[in-house]
């Protein structure tokens, strides 16, 4: 061998010798000692079983069982070689059966795999193959042996299953009363910062506000009788602009409050009939109002609640009269323009028809169009509708001749096409038949439902949330 080839051989051998010495005597990577798990997968599809209570054609509540099958390839195991842990990064769907689940394990150089059973007699190894099913309701340990049948690694397989259905809307009663039974007339609830302000007409005809902090884990309500400029307030007109609650009054004025208790008249002139909602136009959030202008209903806008911007538009004949609810969204096709979608209580004399309700939308607050479309998938007639943007879709519910808070309707296109919601998103049974209510969504994704005492069933407060909105991010 010449000198050059000897130098080359030494250069190649030196790093190998150094690497072997660094590994230590217990870590020499001999073929007979390879025993590392390289991948893991389910050997069968995952099947989830769920049960729900639904209303049948006769109006009776019946139990319905659902089975959903998920492909095994939908789930990828992660292997932590340091912690010797094999796990799924996300939990399996709610209701998944994992008590008899085959798992296939792939390993590098492994000679055999055994199941480690911690029985009463201490640790015991049980022969196991990938065709055998495992009970994964609790963590399972496996031991992978190298071809020398001595060297081994012990791994823990951990599979979690969602303890609740992430897409289910779950309701709970928060309080048996918020007004001591005084709220018997029209009601409206708005969110102003961290406050829920519920405005209601009481038994003696006066107006009252019931205020609580929606962040408070044990809500308590502060009551205030509206006096002075707000004594004749139209509670159904309440909207929020720049942190203040605004309402129209029976005398045509607009009153405002920063805390829901102290109300003062604003500088908005004209015969204001009601407030519709807020929309961002040209980067400025503005309130849309309806004003009676010499017998003609017109839209006007205000950016500060004290003066009109000058923008105006005629109100369509069939446009709802009051009790507007809705939401603002950014147009996907624009990126800068906003759209305001609303529903409201209609005047029977001018409604589009007697059988269905429609949402309306605007891009500037002055020109509006109904979303009746040509679809046969429409809402039933709702005398007092509520429309919310919630959990990635639009929800609607309300009271009427055929609907008494018994169902929730959903739309994927902001109110053009409607469908009865899935059995996972539904009203609480206690809501059906209630006649006076108000609803609002807080910053944590809770839908609050306030019920007045007009139907003699007492006033009460409930709230509900789709489970996944409460999961830690």
């Amino acid at each position: 061998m010449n000198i050059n080839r000897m130098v080359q051989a030494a250069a190649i051998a030196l790093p190998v010798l150094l690497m072997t010495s660094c590994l230590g005597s217990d870590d020499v990577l001999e073929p007979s000692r390879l025993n590392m798990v390289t991948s893991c997968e389910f050997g069968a599809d995952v099947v989830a079983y769920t049960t729900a209570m639904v209303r049948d054609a006769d109006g009776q509540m019946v139990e319905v069982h659902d089975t959903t099958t998920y492909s095994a390839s939908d789930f990828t195991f992660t292997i932590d070689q340091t912690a010797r842990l094999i796990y799924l990064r996300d939990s399996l769907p709610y209701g998944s059966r994992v008590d008899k689940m085959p798992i296939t394990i792939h390993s590098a150089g492994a000679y055999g795999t055994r199941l480690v059973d911690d029985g009463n007699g201490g640790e015991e190894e049980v022969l196991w193959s990938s065709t055998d099913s495992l009970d994964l309701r609790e963590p399972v340990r496996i031991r992978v042996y190298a071809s020398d049948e001595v060297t081994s690694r012990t791994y823990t397989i951990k599979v979690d299953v969602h303890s609740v259905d992430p897409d289910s809307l779950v309701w709970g009663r928060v309080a048996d009363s918020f007004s001591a039974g005084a709220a018997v007339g029209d009601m409206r609830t708005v969110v102003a910062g961290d406050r829920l302000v519920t405005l209601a007409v009481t038994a003696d005809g006066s107006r009252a506000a019931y205020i609580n902090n929606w962040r408070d884990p044990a809500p308590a309500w502060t009551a205030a009788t509206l006096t002075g400029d707000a004594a004749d307030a139209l509670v159904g007109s309440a909207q929020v602009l720049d942190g203040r609650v605004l309402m129209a009054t029976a005398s045509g004025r607009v009153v405002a409050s920063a805390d829901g208790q102290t109300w003062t008249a604003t500088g908005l002139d004209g015969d204001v009939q009601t407030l519709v909602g807020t929309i961002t136009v040209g980067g400025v959030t503005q309130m849309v109002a309806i004003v009676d202008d010499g017998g003609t209903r017109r839209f006007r806008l205000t950016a500060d609640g004290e003066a009109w911007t000058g923008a105006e538009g005629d109100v369509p004949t069939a446009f709802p009269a009051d009790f507007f609810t809705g939401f603002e969204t950014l147009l996907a096709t624009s990126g800068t323009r906003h759209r305001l979608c609303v529903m409201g209580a209609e005047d029977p004399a001018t409604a589009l028809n007697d059988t269905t309700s429609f949402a309306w939308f605007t891009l500037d607050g002055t020109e509006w169009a109904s979303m009746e479309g040509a679809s046969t998938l429409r809402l039933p007639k709702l005398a007092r509708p509520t429309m919310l943007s919630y959990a990635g879709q639009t929800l609607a519910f309300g009271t009427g001749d055929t609907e008494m808070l018994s169902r929730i309707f959903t739309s994927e296109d902001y109110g053009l096409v409607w469908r009865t919601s899935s059995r996972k998103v539904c009203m609480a049974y206690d809501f059906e038949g209630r006649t006076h209510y108000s609803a609002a969504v807080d910053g944590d994704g809770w839908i609050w439902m306030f019920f007045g005492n007009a139907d003699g069933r007492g006033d009460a407060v409930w709230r509900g949330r789709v489970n996944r909105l409460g999961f830690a991010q």
Side-chain angles (χ1 to χ4, degrees):
M1 179 182 295
N2 60 38
I3 298 299
N4 287 337
R5 290 189 176 185
M6 290 179 63
V7 171
Q8 292 174 358
I12 295 172
L14 182 59
V16 174
L17 292 173
L18 290 174
M19 181 179 69
T20 303
S21 64
C22 291
L23 287 172
S25 60
D26 292 336
D27 296 320
V28 177
L29 300 179
E30 299 174 5
S32 63
R33 300 181 66 184
L34 287 175
N35 54 4
M36 181 181 295
V37 172
T38 56
S39 65
C40 177
E41 67 225 18
F42 285 126
D45 291 340
V46 176
V47 182
Y49 301 87
T50 56
T51 301
M53 296 297 295
V54 299
R55 195 179 305 277
D56 64 13
D58 297 325
Q60 301 298 313
M61 299 306 301
V62 296
E63 189 174 77
V64 176
H65 302 276
D66 283 338
T67 301
T68 306
T69 300
Y70 302 89
S71 173
S73 61
D74 292 341
F75 308 99
T76 302
F77 281 92
T78 297
I79 303 174
D80 185 336
Q81 297 292 355
T82 302
R84 307 286 170 86
L85 179 64
I86 303 171
Y87 64 99
L88 294 174
R89 289 188 178 274
D90 193 14
S91 298
L92 292 179
Y94 172 73
S96 296
R97 183 175 179 179
V98 293
D99 58 329
K100 295 181 179 179
M101 179 62 69
I103 282 187
T104 301
I105 293 176
H106 303 278
S107 54
Y111 178 75
T113 303
R114 298 178 186 178
L115 180 66
V116 179
D117 181 16
D118 295 320
N120 295 329
E123 184 177 284
E124 180 182 358
E125 292 184 351
V126 179
L127 291 177
W128 172 79
S129 70
S130 59
T131 59
D132 297 331
S133 295
L134 293 176
D135 186 349
L136 297 174
R137 290 176 294 182
E138 298 291 338
V140 172
R141 292 200 300 156
I142 59 169
R143 187 163 292 149
V144 182
Y145 282 89
S147 59
D148 64 4
E149 299 188 55
V150 175
T151 307
S152 66
R153 291 174 184 246
T154 301
Y155 291 85
T156 298
I157 302 175
K158 187 174 184 294
V159 172
D160 292 324
V161 178
H162 280 297
S163 59
V164 296
D165 188 335
D167 296 317
S168 288
L169 174 60
V170 179
W171 294 97
R173 193 181 185 101
V174 177
D176 292 332
S177 176
F178 66 94
S179 70
V184 298
D186 290 338
M187 297 173 54
R188 181 62 180 271
T189 300
V190 295
V191 179
D194 58 4
R195 298 186 310 280
L196 281 170
V197 181
T198 299
L199 299 148
V201 176
T202 62
D204 62 3
S206 63
R207 278 65 167 164
Y210 304 93
I211 305 158
N212 73 292
N213 188 320
W214 56 261
R215 299 181 187 275
D216 191 342
W221 279 265
T222 299
T225 299
L226 307 190
T227 59
D229 294 328
D232 63 343
L234 304 174
V235 299
S237 68
Q239 299 285 346
V240 177
L241 176 64
D242 195 24
R244 293 196 303 168
V245 183
L246 275 65
M247 286 190 294
T249 67
S251 55
R253 298 169 301 161
V254 175
V255 294
S257 174
D259 59 7
Q261 301 182 63
T262 303
W263 296 81
T264 57
T266 69
L268 296 173
D269 58 3
D271 185 3
V272 180
Q273 295 184 326
T274 192
L275 304 177
V276 179
T278 59
I279 182 172
T280 302
V281 181
V284 179
T285 300
Q286 303 179 49
M287 174 70 68
V288 181
I290 295 179
V291 177
D292 185 341
D293 184 10
T296 300
R297 292 201 305 165
R298 297 183 63 79
F299 293 115
R300 288 184 182 175
L301 276 64
T302 176
D304 59 5
E306 297 294 336
W308 303 115
T309 63
E312 291 189 354
D314 290 337
V315 178
T317 301
F319 197 75
D322 55 13
F323 283 90
F324 289 95
T325 59
F327 56 89
E328 181 184 17
T329 182
L330 191 65
L331 279 178
T333 56
S334 170
T336 57
R337 298 191 69 185
H338 291 243
R339 167 176 47 200
L340 173 61
C341 302
V342 302
M343 292 186 71
E346 297 176 319
D347 182 345
T350 59
L352 287 172
N353 62 60
D354 297 329
T355 58
T356 55
S357 292
F358 302 101
W360 293 73
F361 79 96
T362 181
L363 302 182
D364 62 7
T366 63
E367 296 185 5
W368 291 75
S370 70
M371 300 179 72
E372 54 179 323
S375 173
T376 57
L377 299 174
R378 296 174 174 173
L379 286 172
K381 196 67 172 180
L382 300 174
R384 188 64 60 81
T386 294
M387 185 168 70
L388 306 170
S389 177
Y390 187 75
Q393 57 187 342
T394 303
L395 306 185
F397 49 85
T399 58
D401 293 338
T402 61
E403 295 298 324
M404 295 300 288
L405 296 179
S406 57
R407 291 185 291 177
I408 295 177
F409 302 90
T410 62
S411 174
E412 301 295 336
D413 51 18
Y414 305 105
L416 183 62
V417 176
W418 294 94
R419 293 176 174 84
T420 302
S421 65
S422 70
R423 60 192 57 163
K424 295 182 180 182
V425 179
C426 56
M427 289 297 195
Y429 308 138
D430 299 62
F431 297 176
E432 188 171 359
R434 299 306 302 254
T435 58
H436 283 65
Y437 82 98
S438 62
V441 180
D442 70 22
D444 280 341
W446 290 99
I447 303 175
W448 290 74
M449 296 287 290
F450 291 80
F451 296 101
N453 193 31
D455 52 17
R457 292 169 59 179
D459 59 327
V461 183
W462 288 67
R463 70 175 186 176
R465 183 169 65 180
V466 168
N467 285 321
R468 60 183 164 82
L469 298 183
F471 292 168
Q473 299 299 318

